[in-house]
Amino acid sequence: INVCLEYIMIGISTTINEFEKLGLNPSLIRVLEEEKFEKPTEIQELTIPFVLDRKDIIARASTGSGKTLAFGSTILQNTKKGFGIQALILTPTRELAEQISKALNNFSKYNPLEIIPVYGGISINPQIKNLRHADVVIGTPGRILDHLSRRTIELKHLKTLVLDEADRMLDMGFITDVERIIGQCPKTRQTLLFSATISEDIVRLSKKYMANQMEISAEEYVDQAKLIQIYYDIDDSLKYSMLKHLLQNEKSKLVMVFCNTRRNVDFVANNLIAMGVEALTIHGGFSQEKRNKIMNQFHSQKYHVLICTDVAARGLDIKGVSHIYNYDIPKEAKEYIHRIGRTARAGKEGKVINLVSSRDYENFTSVLRDNSLKITCEKTPFVERTMTKWTPTMRGRGSRFSNRSNSNRGRGNANKDYGRNYSRSNSHSTQGNRNREEGIPHRNRDYRNRNLRSQNNRNSRSRYPNSNKRRY
Ligand code: AMP
């Protein structure tokens, strides 16, 4: 027992020492002990001393790096309850605002503060009421501007402004809103800018609004060594069957399946649900209330599969995601990196599976331009063609379950044409399926397929210019 106690004491004092050295106060360290944070992450170690010294900082840190505590340290230690809004954190998405608010509320457990999220898509009146007593506000630019124009938010006591995921905010076109908000903050304040990438626009923004800013960079937190990235080159008509096959056969914990469009999210999710898979869906078409509810359900790990658009990719910290499926390949490496950042977090292992078909070639080529991404081609397994039950109708008319069974069941063949797993004879008969999978009206789909087919024939040997070394 004595030896055990000694170990525990050594463990605790190491924790205390490492965080204490950075300047964190005892009430915060107590929470970190309870959360079993053993030592500061790289970004915390690099930034917290300067953040607490009230320096302006640009930090290059990706999601999952522990940046909430990094910028939260000064807010939690320098905010006094009941003295007006002293910290404002701007985030690109509502989900991120909600997540940061929860994290900061937890960190401030032994030093309670009024920390409130403020974002659009939900009723403004409760926010107006809460803002009267708020000490710390985490918000999306649009709704904060709304409150500023209604004069329901008061920023004259502000001491710290945080621009979180700044690159994403600029990508999403929030630059003017962000600048208008900064214009209404007191000039003497600390400004902290956190961003996964530091573009010219970010540099320009920082020069304009920050004073003697320090630039700090942390390594990627996603552990590349523990992240396996593969792709299957498959026919459009087999994508869904392949996904279902992999979901059934891969040993996984939480799984996220990314699609590029809401229609594909609906297509994949409704068919999985019709087949008895308990899947959740999230995309920008849902009300904020619904989005929050779904994220909470996924966090609770009662459901293991989340089908989503990029709405869920950015900044969110979901523990236990072992697999990321790209049902559709995103347009750029930047989006791809944000998606894969949901797994292999905090030293855990993760796998990314890309389902690449002709409609993804252009996007996949663009993703592969990022040489840091190591994605290997995997031989396509034998896949039984699955009959899809749910098929989207024309836009605006809702959706239906189709009773027309597609009798054209095909069989995958593992050995053909680097994983192309359909035979010529059934490629015609599966046209209906192919159209259904994308949820695109048939005429458009055919046209696109024709273009891609002729393009593919021309480039059959070098479909992905940069990928040859990876594929063979
Ligand atoms: P963040 O990047 O702030 O969203 O943090 C990502 C995840 O890492 C969250 O679940 C945090 O609770 C967790 N985390 C943050 N700092 C540490 C740390 N020093 N040790 C262990 N986990 C941490």
Side-chain angles (χ1 to χ4, degrees):
I1 289 169
N2 275 346
V3 173
C4 278
L5 275 177
E6 212 167 292
Y7 270 120
I8 291 167
M9 294 313 291
I10 290 169
I12 289 173
S13 62
T14 315
T15 308
I16 292 173
N17 278 343
E18 295 231 13
F19 285 107
E20 225 173 33
K21 263 192 234 159
L22 298 180
L24 298 185
N25 67 21
S27 60
L28 185 49
I29 288 174
R30 200 170 148 200
V31 181
L32 304 185
E33 276 171 36
E34 287 173 6
E35 290 294 314
K36 305 214 170 9
F37 285 13
E38 283 168 14
K39 58 183 176 59
T41 64
E42 190 182 5
I43 196 70
Q44 290 164 359
E45 205 171 330
L46 293 173
T47 55
I48 287 176
F50 300 106
V51 167
L52 289 177
D53 204 21
R54 311 211 44 82
K55 296 267 187 299
D56 279 6
I57 287 171
I58 308 180
R60 196 178 71 79
S62 51
T63 55
S65 56
K67 61 193 167 67
T68 313
L69 180 63
F71 60 70
S73 58
T74 180
I75 295 172
L76 296 162
Q77 298 194 180
N78 292 312
T79 303
K80 290 196 191 99
K81 195 171 167 58
F83 283 81
I85 298 167
Q86 294 148 72
L88 173 67
I89 302 160
L90 292 180
T91 71
T93 65
R94 300 160 181 181
E95 279 79 10
L96 191 54
E98 191 68 43
Q99 180 179 299
I100 293 172
S101 161
K102 280 188 188 146
L104 292 184
N105 267 302
N106 184 36
F107 288 142
S108 71
K109 195 157 124 190
Y110 298 111
N111 181 23
L113 295 168
E114 286 299 318
I115 300 172
I116 63 158
V118 168
Y119 47 75
I122 51 173
S123 169
I124 201 163
N125 293 329
Q127 292 178 355
I128 293 175
K129 203 167 142 226
N130 290 338
L131 279 168
R132 290 191 200 121
H133 312 284
D135 304 310
V136 178
V137 173
I138 304 107
T140 48
R143 187 49 73 92
I144 295 289
L145 266 185
D146 199 349
H147 282 290
L148 280 168
S149 67
R150 290 164 186 253
R151 298 181 191 281
T152 47
I153 189 170
E154 175 79 81
L155 296 180
K156 68 178 181 204
H157 300 291
L158 198 84
K159 290 194 279 190
T160 307
L161 172 69
V162 180
L163 307 176
D164 193 23
E165 306 262 354
D167 51 350
R168 179 65 163 176
M169 279 201 283
L170 302 198
D171 284 354
M172 287 169 76
F174 285 137
I175 181 73
T176 322
D177 290 358
V178 170
E179 291 200 63
R180 280 172 64 196
I181 295 166
I182 298 176
Q184 302 212 29
C185 295
K187 290 226 158 31
T188 49
R189 57 158 200 269
Q190 179 183 30
T191 308
L192 304 171
L193 184 153
F194 282 74
S195 191
T197 51
I198 308 289
S199 62
E200 276 177 25
D201 282 340
I202 300 274
V203 173
R204 188 193 61 77
L205 193 73
S206 68
K207 279 191 180 145
K208 199 165 161 190
Y209 296 108
M210 297 168 85
N212 302 320
Q213 69 275 23
M214 298 174 62
E215 219 177 298
I216 297 176
S217 208
E219 291 295 312
E220 282 282 316
Y221 191 59
V222 169
D223 190 344
Q224 293 288 343
K226 292 191 169 159
L227 183 67
I228 299 169
Q229 297 177 67
I230 61 165
Y231 74 91
Y232 293 106
D233 186 0
I234 52 164
D235 188 77
D236 264 356
S237 67
L238 272 173
K239 250 194 184 195
Y240 174 77
S241 311
M242 181 70 170
L243 175 71
K244 188 174 158 268
H245 170 89
L246 293 169
L247 286 175
Q248 282 168 340
N249 291 288
E250 286 276 326
K251 222 174 142 202
S252 48
K253 291 183 184 153
L254 294 191
V255 167
M256 294 176 81
V257 180
F258 282 95
C259 300
N260 289 358
T261 62
R262 296 174 188 182
R263 285 166 77 82
N264 278 2
V265 167
D266 287 341
F267 169 80
V268 172
N270 287 331
N271 279 304
L272 287 176
I273 291 165
M275 284 164 195
V277 177
E278 288 198 326
L280 293 166
T281 56
I282 189 165
H283 59 58
F286 294 166
S287 72
Q288 192 52 42
E289 209 181 329
K290 188 167 173 190
R291 277 157 65 170
N292 291 350
K293 193 172 150 214
I294 291 162
M295 288 318 291
N296 286 339
Q297 283 174 314
F298 194 53
H299 272 286
S300 74
Q301 311 212 347
K302 279 189 205 130
Y303 292 80
H304 289 93
V305 181
L306 178 72
I307 322 290
C308 53
T309 55
D310 287 300
V311 141
R314 193 71 196 215
L316 295 183
D317 174 47
I318 302 156
K319 286 196 174 69
V321 176
S322 66
H323 283 63
I324 299 290
Y325 289 91
N326 283 319
Y327 187 80
D328 298 316
I329 306 300
K331 274 207 170 70
E332 292 173 26
K334 214 159 63 171
E335 285 307 330
Y336 179 88
I337 289 165
H338 289 303
R339 287 184 185 183
I340 68 172
R342 303 310 93 223
T343 188
R345 290 158 80 85
K348 298 275 189 312
E349 288 177 352
K351 189 167 181 181
V352 179
I353 301 180
N354 295 288
L355 303 179
V356 182
S357 67
S358 57
R359 63 183 151 105
D360 301 293
Y361 290 163
E362 208 179 318
N363 288 0
F364 198 47
T365 304
S366 156
V367 167
L368 290 171
R369 283 199 190 103
D370 185 325
N371 286 321
S372 69
L373 296 169
K374 306 273 176 284
I375 313 173
T376 52
C377 180
E378 197 84 352
K379 203 165 150 185
T380 311
F382 176 86
V383 178
E384 178 108 29
R385 191 181 298 281
T386 310
M387 199 168 66
T388 54
K389 292 195 175 144
W390 191 92
T391 170
T393 51
M394 295 293 284
R395 199 177 288 277
R397 287 216 206 130
S399 53
R400 67 184 159 88
F401 278 86
S402 165
N403 289 328
R404 268 179 299 153
S405 69
N406 33 14
S407 55
N408 44 3
R409 281 167 177 236
R411 283 186 168 242
N413 180 337
N415 298 322
K416 269 190 191 147
D417 196 13
Y418 358 96
R420 287 202 157 272
N421 49 5
Y422 67 100
S423 65
R424 242 174 231 284
S425 59
N426 69 21
S427 67
H428 274 297
S429 62
T430 56
Q431 184 66 48
N433 271 6
R434 203 172 301 150
N435 291 327
R436 256 175 237 172
E437 272 212 27
E438 261 207 283
I440 292 173
H442 289 205
R443 219 177 309 147
N444 296 348
R445 182 74 190 104
D446 285 349
Y447 177 70
R448 264 176 54 179
N449 259 350
R450 239 191 343 255
N451 284 348
L452 281 166
R453 264 200 295 272
S454 57
Q455 202 179 315
N456 294 338
N457 289 343
R458 278 201 301 279
N459 304 327
S460 58
R461 281 201 175 269
S462 58
R463 223 171 270 146
Y464 322 118
N466 284 334
S467 71
N468 284 350
K469 58 180 184 295
R470 294 186 180 89
R471 299 180 76 216
Y472 304 107

